[in-house]
Amino acid sequence: MTIPRRSWRGAGAFAAAAVVGLAGGVISAGPAAAHTPTWAVTCSEVTLNLTAYSSKATNEVTVSVVGGEDLLPTTEFGRAYSTTSPLQLPKHDKELQVRLVVKAGDDDRYSYQETKTAPVCEDDTPPQETPSETPSETPSETPSTEPSDSETSEPSAKPSETATEAAPAPAESSSSAPDLAETGSSSATPVIGGAALAVLLAGGGILWSVRKRRGVQH
């Protein structure tokens, strides 16, 4: 069985068209995959690695803090660029927005820009205020049980002569004190003796008169 030439020609044309289409797709996709910006942001630093850019064009890269200073001023590079040492972020107590801008010199469609967030480092976090605790009241010093020097000092062996001489004299008894009990030497003794004598004389007189009357009657 023989195949017509027209069929061979149609199959060849179709295969050639498929190869051309595949090659065109690879070529068109190649440059897009070639420009590779890679970067990372931590709480304190930024690392950057740009590869597979055109060495025949002048490319530019800039890294900055949004609303702040530039970490990497606009820098030209060729086929690749990477940071030899990480870019240091300023100390911050809140999150920072870091922006990367890459301008491709061969075609603007390969330019790239992205913003990432730098978190707060634990060391930069301000300490939180906590209510101060009232220390328990404890006596500052334990009372001493030992007597002080003034208590242990020995008293003077001899009393002060000055204190003895200055002692007040005993007070004299007051003239208004009540009289002592009457004794035999009292001034009222003669009066009492006279009265007693009068009583005796009167008794003797009565006794004599009685005896005299009895004698007259006999």
Side-chain angles (χ1 to χ4, degrees):
M1 179 178 180
T2 60
I3 301 175
R5 293 183 176 180
R6 291 182 178 179
S7 299
W8 282 105
R9 291 178 180 177
F14 178 78
V19 171
V20 171
L22 181 61
V26 171
I27 293 173
S28 61
H35 300 75
T36 308
T38 303
W39 68 308
V41 177
T42 66
C43 70
S44 60
E45 60 187 21
V46 178
T47 55
L48 186 63
N49 187 28
L50 308 178
T51 58
Y53 281 81
S54 174
S55 59
K56 297 180 181 181
T58 301
N59 307 299
E60 296 180 351
V61 58
T62 304
V63 181
S64 61
V65 175
V66 176
E69 61 183 3
D70 290 341
L71 302 178
L72 177 66
T74 302
T75 303
E76 296 180 353
F77 69 98
R79 183 173 180 79
Y81 178 85
S82 61
T83 51
T84 56
S85 60
L87 303 175
Q88 299 299 316
L89 288 169
K91 290 186 177 181
H92 50 282
D93 56 2
K94 60 182 180 180
E95 294 181 347
L96 295 180
Q97 300 297 317
V98 183
R99 178 175 294 172
L100 168 67
V101 177
V102 180
K103 291 184 178 181
D106 52 346
D107 196 333
D108 191 53
R109 63 178 177 171
Y110 302 134
S111 297
Y112 176 84
Q113 63 178 356
E114 184 181 9
T115 301
K116 291 186 178 182
T117 301
V120 178
C121 296
E122 294 182 358
D123 296 340
D124 296 339
T125 305
Q128 297 181 355
E129 296 182 359
T130 55
S132 58
E133 298 180 359
T134 304
S136 58
E137 297 181 357
T138 56
S140 58
E141 295 182 0
T142 305
S144 176
T145 57
E146 297 180 359
S148 60
D149 295 340
S150 60
E151 294 178 356
T152 56
S153 60
E154 296 181 358
S156 176
K158 296 181 180 181
S160 174
E161 295 179 358
T162 305
T164 305
E165 293 176 358
E172 297 180 358
S173 58
S174 175
S175 59
S176 61
D179 296 336
L180 299 175
E182 297 290 342
T183 61
S185 60
S186 175
S187 61
T189 302
V191 178
I192 297 174
L197 181 59
V199 172
L200 291 175
L201 291 176
I206 294 172
L207 181 60
W208 179 77
S209 63
V210 172
R211 286 180 179 180
K212 186 177 180 180
R213 287 177 183 176
R214 286 180 181 178
V216 173
Q217 289 179 0
H218 292 290

